[in-house]
Amino acid sequence: MSAHPRTTPSRRLFLGAAAATSMTLAADLAWGAGPAHAADAAYVMGYFTESPDGAGTDYGLHLAVSTDSLTWMPLNQNNPVVTPTAGAGGLRDPFIMRKRDGTFVVLATDLKGTDWGYNSQYIHVWDSTDLRTFTNYRRPHLHTMATHSWAPEAFWDASRGQYALLYSAVNSSGHNVLMVNYTSDFTTVSAPQVFFDPGYDVIDGDMAVGVNGVNYLYFKSSSTGGLVGARSTSLNPGSFTPFSTSVAHGGTEAPTLVKSLTSNTWYLWGDTYTPNGVFYAWRSTDLAAGTWTPVDQRLYIHPVNAKHCTIAPVTTGEYGNLVARWGAPAWNRLKSYNHPDRYVRHAAFAARIDTYPFDPYTDSQWRLVPGLADSAGVSFQSVNYPTRYLRHYDYQLRLDAVDGTAAYAQDATFHRVAGLADSSWASFRSHNNPTRYIRHSGYALRIDPVATATDRADATFSVGY
């Protein structure tokens, strides 16, 4: 599916820096948001999923985890961990925030699918102590306008002693503005107010509160077609002024600001709808400058089919508990080093690298199992054709059914070594043709000798999810 290029939902915020603040959360912090914790060392991502032909589409809350905020591991086999039971029966644009009592609140748009004309004055809300269980599901009523309530997110407003709940809606101006309600419990909310209206359509507000005394609001701008920042020294409605350079890659929405827990780097994530379902990232060490540098796609991997992410910091213990509860994937994906927008997949049983996204997305999922001819090696078992493995035949790689012969087992066995173009990546040497490595040529996979820098790059892959 391709999202509507006019405006579509998103959400999120990163709550300042990893300051050494107490878990007791007793004091109002100057930067206004629920505090990061001294022990924060990892991240959780929330999202929903859509794939080009719908094979990987699901409008429930999905979770992934990361130790660096760039390389993400989906949990629960990339299946939802909770799904709305009321309203439209599905969600878009989840937002995860750690509240001031140390627990989490999850917000989401009340919308299943892509009916942009669907009106809902409500949003989905859950409470969670650990993102392993979700309780107190409810749908607070935000306004009485005949419009939507897209991409909800929240931040703590210390001056009011309440949480501000932001979302996009079409008000009497006739275009989308960012609205705000104030709440203490995400159940009872104040009357809505216009929070930000630059005079043109804006959606997907995302906040970073109290960064060196300044509050930053990023949003999808219909004026520029990209992600733009506004700022204010106040959190008052109407006080924000746009200032930053617009960034985009194709049609881009859903800004997500993330502060590194280990450096002064900020990341700005964006979700594209042309093509639909690709995340891009930019980086900056100075939010006040309002300029961003694209992050090389080699440096990050987001979950397959993920849409409209939210990212929040978690502790090492919470990271481990999430993996223990939901489980790591039983499969991997292989990303090309010199074509990082492409993944290894089979198509008509021929092996190749194709541009993500595609359906069936399961063509790119592999179980890396002990080598059929040598357990010290590895064989690539197809997820959607589990009786078939990648093997070479006349030096070309294809997906063949196991025939029980020694020749097949040897053809389907490879030895993983440090990446020939980058030792932090991986390359795969043929078991029975040890001078040859898996590489792509004209996007088709084969085994060849490796001699040049181009050969080495063609033969280098990341093993991720």
Side-chain angles (χ1 to χ4, degrees):
M1 147 282 173
S2 180
H4 198 296
R6 124 190 106 78
T7 46
T8 46
S10 128
R11 79 317 301 126
R12 70 246 95 206
L13 110 162
F14 182 80
L15 310 177
T21 52
S22 167
M23 288 287 285
T24 62
L25 314 178
D28 283 344
L29 302 182
W31 33 275
H37 309 301
D40 279 340
Y43 309 81
V44 64
M45 174 188 285
Y47 55 98
F48 69 98
T49 60
E50 286 180 340
S51 67
D53 297 334
T57 296
D58 188 282
Y59 298 104
L61 174 66
H62 297 65
L63 296 178
V65 289
S66 173
T67 56
D68 63 4
S69 81
L70 293 173
T71 302
W72 293 92
M73 181 176 75
L75 302 176
N76 200 34
Q77 305 306 316
N78 209 33
N79 295 315
V81 299
V82 68
T83 299
T85 56
L91 64 77
R92 297 180 72 97
D93 324 321
F95 173 74
I96 298 171
M97 183 183 74
R98 192 189 296 276
K99 295 187 296 183
R100 296 178 58 74
D101 63 2
T103 66
F104 296 94
V105 66
V106 179
L107 316 177
T109 300
D110 177 18
L111 177 60
K112 182 177 183 178
T114 58
D115 179 6
W116 310 129
Y118 176 81
N119 290 333
S120 178
Q121 302 163 352
Y122 301 83
I123 60 171
H124 301 298
V125 178
W126 292 266
D127 296 319
S128 181
T129 58
D130 52 14
L131 300 180
R132 298 189 297 169
T133 57
F134 299 87
T135 60
N136 196 23
Y137 171 61
R138 57 209 185 270
R139 294 171 63 241
H141 187 219
L142 302 185
H143 59 80
T144 59
M145 298 178 291
T147 184
H148 44 256
S149 308
W150 280 350
E153 78 150 58
F155 62 90
W156 175 253
D157 187 329
S159 67
R160 288 174 171 81
Q162 288 188 303
Y163 296 100
L165 201 165
L166 294 184
Y167 55 95
S168 306
V170 178
N171 70 349
S172 58
S173 69
H175 59 257
N176 271 289
V177 301
L178 296 183
M179 303 292 294
V180 64
N181 302 66
Y182 295 96
T183 183
S184 298
D185 56 10
F186 296 96
T187 299
T188 302
V189 302
S190 69
Q193 303 176 52
V194 175
F195 187 78
F196 178 65
D197 178 8
Y200 48 83
D201 210 54
V202 293
I203 60 169
D204 299 356
D206 185 67
M207 292 282 292
V209 176
V211 182
N212 297 322
V214 179
N215 307 304
Y216 293 89
L217 167 65
Y218 270 77
F219 57 93
K220 157 67 181 302
S221 166
S222 66
S223 176
T224 68
L227 310 181
V228 175
R231 62 188 173 191
S232 173
T233 56
S234 164
L235 290 172
N236 291 332
S239 66
F240 284 79
T241 302
F243 79 102
S244 79
T245 301
S246 179
V247 297
H249 194 294
T252 307
E253 58 195 14
T256 303
L257 287 165
V258 184
K259 174 67 167 61
S260 169
L261 294 170
T262 58
S263 74
N264 195 39
T265 301
W266 285 84
Y267 294 100
L268 175 63
W269 290 80
D271 182 19
T272 69
Y273 51 85
T274 51
N276 187 46
V278 181
F279 289 170
Y280 289 93
W282 295 263
R283 68 194 308 164
S284 174
T285 56
D286 183 8
L287 281 186
T291 56
W292 297 87
T293 301
V295 178
D296 190 329
Q297 277 188 288
R298 291 175 182 169
L299 300 179
Y300 60 92
I301 299 176
H302 65 78
V304 63
N305 302 324
K307 290 284 298 175
H308 285 68
C309 74
T310 174
I311 298 173
V314 293
T315 67
T316 299
E318 288 168 334
Y319 175 97
N321 289 338
L322 284 167
V323 175
R325 169 65 179 88
W326 299 113
W331 40 265
N332 291 100
R333 293 189 298 154
L334 277 70
K335 183 176 189 175
S336 167
Y337 176 77
N338 52 355
H339 292 277
D341 60 335
R342 291 177 178 262
Y343 285 79
V344 172
R345 58 90 57 94
H346 62 84
F349 301 130
R352 54 181 294 106
I353 59 169
D354 273 353
T355 303
Y356 169 89
F358 48 76
D359 268 331
Y361 70 93
T362 45
D363 287 355
S364 66
Q365 292 178 319
W366 307 93
R367 293 187 179 94
L368 275 60
V369 301
L372 300 182
D374 182 348
S375 61
V378 62
S379 292
F380 299 93
Q381 182 186 26
S382 169
V383 163
N384 53 353
Y385 290 91
T387 62
R388 293 175 177 261
Y389 292 77
L390 276 187
R391 58 89 60 94
H392 65 81
Y393 191 89
D394 287 339
Y395 303 132
Q396 299 179 56
L397 259 68
R398 65 193 203 188
L399 193 68
D400 279 357
V402 176
D403 64 12
T405 66
Y408 177 99
Q410 292 186 47
D411 289 349
T413 299
F414 305 89
H415 293 272
R416 179 174 175 170
V417 299
L420 299 179
D422 184 329
S423 61
S424 67
W425 289 49
S427 294
F428 296 92
R429 177 172 53 82
S430 169
H431 176 71
N432 54 353
N433 286 270
T435 63
R436 293 174 178 262
Y437 293 79
I438 295 177
R439 60 87 58 91
H440 63 82
S441 178
Y443 303 132
L445 289 186
R446 51 182 294 114
I447 57 168
D448 278 340
V450 172
T452 68
T454 297
D455 294 342
R456 290 190 290 273
D458 288 350
T460 300
F461 306 88
S462 73
V463 180
Y465 304 104

